[in-house]
Structure formats: C-alpha cells, structure tokens
Amino acid sequence: MNPIKILPQELANQIAAGEVIERPASVVKELIENSIDAGATKIDIKISEAGRKLITVSDNGSGIKSNEIALAFKPHATSKLSSTFDLFRIQSLGFRGEALPSIASIAKVTVNSCTSEETGVSAILEDGEIAITPVATNVGTTIHVENLFYNTPARLKYLKLDYSENSVTFDAVSKIALAHPSIAFSLTFDDKLRFKTTGRGDLKETILNIYGLHYVKNILPISFSTNDFKLEGYLGNTELVRANRYGIIINLNGRNVYMGKIQAAIIEAYGGFIAPNRFPFVTLNLTVEPELVDVNVHPTKKEVRFSKEKELIELLLKNIPIALRKDEFVPTSMFQLREEQISQNEVQYTQSTFDLFTKVEENEENSYLPLNDSLVSEPLVYFKQEELNVFPVGSINRTYIICQTREGGFWLVDQHAAHERINYEKFQNSLNQKIKVRPLLVPLVLSFSKSEMLSFTDEVFIMLLEVGISASLFGENAIRVSEVPSWANEYDEKVYVENVIEQVLNNKKIDVHALRTNAIATFACKASIKAYHTLSSSESNYLLSELLKCDNPYSCPHGRPTIIKFTKYELEKMFKRSGA
Ligand code: ADP
Ligand code: MG
C-alpha cells in the first residue's frame, strides 16, 4: 500500500465535478440555480456547439462582491448555509458550495459580476489559477464556461451528438422555467433562440412560450392545497400523450425533482384515460414548508424526500381523474397554429390531420352517408339531446359519426370506441355490484398444459368466482366452467372466460380489481359494434346520448379518443373566413 495522502485540491474538485457535472446540461442547471438564488428576474442562456465550446448564463441578480469572487470558487464556499439548522430548512436551490469550484476544475471560466454597491469585477479561472480585474458592468452576473471537459477526455468522449445534448439542456432549462414563471428566461442554441418566457408569473403562458399553442390548447388546470402544501399545475389531455415519462414534470419549491412514487401515482391516475404504456404531459408546481423536505439526498439534489408524500399521492389519485373528466376535455381538431403564425392568420396542419384525410381517401368503402331523417338541424327531442347540444348529421366510412354542435362546429365520434366506452361503464357498474351469474347448460371444458394446470390453486378458483366464473378441476389436463356472468351472452362467454383465465395465468400475483377492470375492458371491446357497421339515425342518436351519459365519455377503455372536436372558430380558420 502507498502512504495515505490528502488529495491535491484540483483533483478533489475534479472528483466532485464527476458527481455534479455530468454533461453540459448540468453546468447550465447549476448556473441557473445560482442566478435564481441571487434573486434574478431575467436569465439568458446561450449555448454553442452543444456546450462543448461555450455556455453563457447571464442574470440580473444581486451580483458577487469583488472581494468574494475568489472565495466563491473555493470548495464548500457558500453564502446560503451557515448551520446544521439551515440544512433542515433549505430555501435556496444551492447550498453545497460545490458547483463553481467543480465547473472551474473542468473548464475555463470567466465571470463578470457587479453588485449595486460596486462598479464590477471580472475573474478568469483557468488550470487552477485565478486572475481578477475591475470591469464596468451592469448589476448581475455573467458566467462563461469554455471548453468543457477539456482536461477530462473520458467525460468528453461520453457526450452524445449535439442535438441530443441540446435536447437534454432544453429539457433541463424548460423544467426550471416552468418552476419559475415569474422569471424571464431565454435559451439560445448556436445563435438560434429556442424559447423565451415572459416572466409574468403565469404558468400557462410559460407553457405557451416553451411548447407552443398546441400544448396550451390541450391542457387543463389542476390545483389543490392542504395545511402542509399547495399544488398548482396543468394536465395534458390525450392529444399530448407521449411514449415516455419525461413529460411528467414535478417541481418542488422551485426545484425540478424526481419523485418516483408521485410519478407512478400520476400515471395510475391517467389509467382509464390513456392507453397503457403511454404517458401524459403533466407539469406540477408544489410549494411546501421547507422543514418537510430533505433535499440533501443526492449531490445533484434531483432526488428529494418529502414527508407528506402519501397525502399528496392520495390527492393526485382523486383529483386528476376529476379534472380529466371535465366537459371541455374533448380532444380538439388536429390543426394547430404556431405562435408566430397567429398574427398572420396562417393555418398549419399537423401530420395527424393528413393521416385522417388520407385514411378517408384510401378506403374503398369511403362514403359519406347522410342519415335519412337527421339532416334536419334540430336535435331529436326524445333523446333529450337539447341538453347535449350535439346531434348526428351523418357518417364517414361507416366508422365515424359526424355530429353538429349548436355552437356551429362539429364532432367526429368513433362509433366503435364510443360503444366500447358505454359497454365498459355498463359492465363496470354491474361488476361493482354483486355479480349476477347464470349456469351454463353445457359446461365449458378448457384444456391446459401440465405446467399451466399447476397454477390452478384454490385461491385462483376463488378469484375466478369474484369475476363471475365458477370453475373446478376436470381431470388432469382441464378445468370445467359451470357458471358465467349473466351479461355474457352465448357468443361471448367463451371469449370472456378464456381471457380472464389467461390473465390469471400470466400474472403471478393477481389484483382482483385490476382483473375485473381488464376483463371488462376486453369484454366491452368484444361486445361492441365494430367499425364499418352502418348505424341508423336513431342508433347514432342513441349511441351519442349514451356516450355522453358516461363518467368519462372522451376516451375508450384502452385510452383512444372517442370524440374529436372541431370548433366553428377552427372551421372558419381553415377556410380562411374573415369571421375567424
Ligand atoms: P452554492 O450555490 O451551493 O452556494 P456555488 O458553488 O454554486 O455554491 O456558488 C458559490 C457561491 O457563489 C454562492 O453561494 C453565491 O454566493 C455565489 N454565486 C454564484 N453564482 C452567483 C450568481 N449568479 N449571482 C450571485 N452570486 C453567485
Ligand atoms: Mg450553486
């Protein structure tokens, strides 16, 4: 063994940098956090060559005093924490005093800073040396980070392609900007402005600034509070569904955090609204008493512990579905206006608009079927649709019902998806009550392999009983089913039983509630009218009125939309009518 030595400072800093500075986005995040802690109301971020060449963050915050600038780059030097007491009620984003020395150990750093009492100071840090000169600047701080990772080639090599690093940086900055709607941010990549927020304190406007009009058209507000915390944010609808979880943004006291259980609860709350393996866009800003949070779990401060997590989860599980069921939650038509186009009255169609129209054209069965008695533009009273303000006027492809709205727009309703939703809720209601069963005249005998047969324990048979299936072992290779739910008709009973059993066999640990839900979703689908089935006018009417009676009429049990809404405004926009 070599003798024990204290590490040279420069090396110790590089090791610390290894923990906090993983990539350009980490530098950007640390610098922005310092700007926020310094009380900035305006923060501008400029990136060149994905941050390999240059990262600049300028703020109008308090500035650093000229006699403290060297100290700011010393490890564990911070103005934000002075006692253990503070550590347990952290109000600032930084507190470890690690970022500046870490960054300066792996890049060339230039700081220009000025407080309201002084004229300004400039410091250049390179290879462990610091050169300080007076300079005249505005109050605030500008930090340039050049040649990141120049002396740690392993890190440099690990960086991804420019666009991919930029997208990580974009995500990091946008999340911080969402957490701070009162700060005006701008983000520029290689001289191209990526986004700019106004800093007017409105979260919805911040979402518009970052993601554009398509997003704000498809979000719903959510807010609630308890004695311990306050939550405000927006929930995306089914138009904003994504293939990964990155659209779920949780900010706690202005800090973007990862809270696995909260994220899981949000996904669960969206369960009946979007398809499995699809994830929503959600942005939530949580304000809590600092004593209830421990941010000192990980060097990047990304992971936090929050003592009221359980309470928050319950409220999310309850409030998200309520918010999503709100009437306005109808996917709007798929044309969107880009922010800068609004003023020019230009219309931009998204790919999905074209998909829809191409589908219509390609299909040989393509037809427009006016329904004989419903061209009259009055709702049929006996379905009490005057309250609903929508009435069917025709059908496309024998798949989509066209409905006019009183407001002057129209809806497209997917008849199969709609019927699925209606059946799903009907079956669910009957399942939540005591299940009615009927004996089979001829018992169903289903064969299984030896290994599958091992799964049929008493527990499994009890579970099957709970979903209305009475079954028992039948010889060594089969089971016999003698009763099925009374709503399963003779065509569907076998499908239902097989499906339920398949689920029982595939899941080692079975959750009866999930089993019931899953079983009825499948059953609702099987029992529902298919596309390409011509509906009579009164059938369409009936379907629509039943759909709108559902708890959640806007998506099928698998999460696909049932209704796509076109407003009169959108129609007039598309046809470039002056009224719009
Ligand atoms: P921490 O943020 O954990 O305190 P840093 O290494 O990030 O540690 O920063 C060290 C100190 O430098 C901060 O505590 C703060 O006093 C000062 N500082 C850094 N950036 C700024 C800034 N943009 N404006 C004002 N002061 C700053
Ligand atoms: Mg810091």
Side-chain angles (χ1 to χ4, degrees), residues 30-31 34-35 37-38 59 62-64 72 77-80 94-101 141 143:
E30 291 294 336
L31 296 182
N34 282 343
S35 300
D37 285 343
D59 68 53
S62 61
I64 308 172
T78 176
S79 55
K80 301 166 193 173
F95 58 87
R96 304 171 63 101
E98 274 185 344
L100 292 187
T141 305
I143 300 193

Side-chain angles (χ1 to χ4, degrees), residues 442-477:
V442 183
L444 267 174
V445 175
L446 303 168
S447 309
F448 294 93
S449 71
K450 278 234 161 60
S451 64
E452 283 170 333
M453 287 304 289
L454 295 175
S455 312
F456 287 102
T457 57
D458 287 350
E459 207 189 343
V460 163
F461 287 120
I462 291 168
M463 218 161 308
L464 290 175
L465 269 183
E466 297 218 34
V467 284
I469 298 171
S470 167
S472 54
L473 291 175
F474 188 67
E476 279 185 8
N477 294 316

Side-chain angles (χ1 to χ4, degrees), residues 130-200:
I130 180 165
I132 302 176
T133 47
V135 68
T137 54
N138 294 333
V139 173
T141 305
T142 297
I143 300 193
H144 303 281
V145 176
E146 280 169 87
N147 303 331
L148 183 64
F149 298 133
Y150 77 100
N151 55 358
T152 50
R155 269 289 147 103
L156 193 61
K157 243 171 98 181
Y158 161 87
L159 292 186
K160 305 224 169 79
L161 293 173
D162 280 14
Y163 78 88
S164 155
E165 289 301 330
N166 279 348
S167 92
V168 178
T169 303
F170 176 90
D171 266 5
V173 179
S174 55
K175 285 171 181 172
I176 301 175
L178 289 169
H180 297 273
S182 301
I183 299 177
F185 286 89
S186 77
L187 174 65
T188 306
F189 291 125
D190 299 310
D191 297 326
K192 268 180 85 179
L193 180 69
R194 222 26 203 86
F195 70 76
K196 199 174 167 164
T197 66
T198 61
R200 279 198 283 239

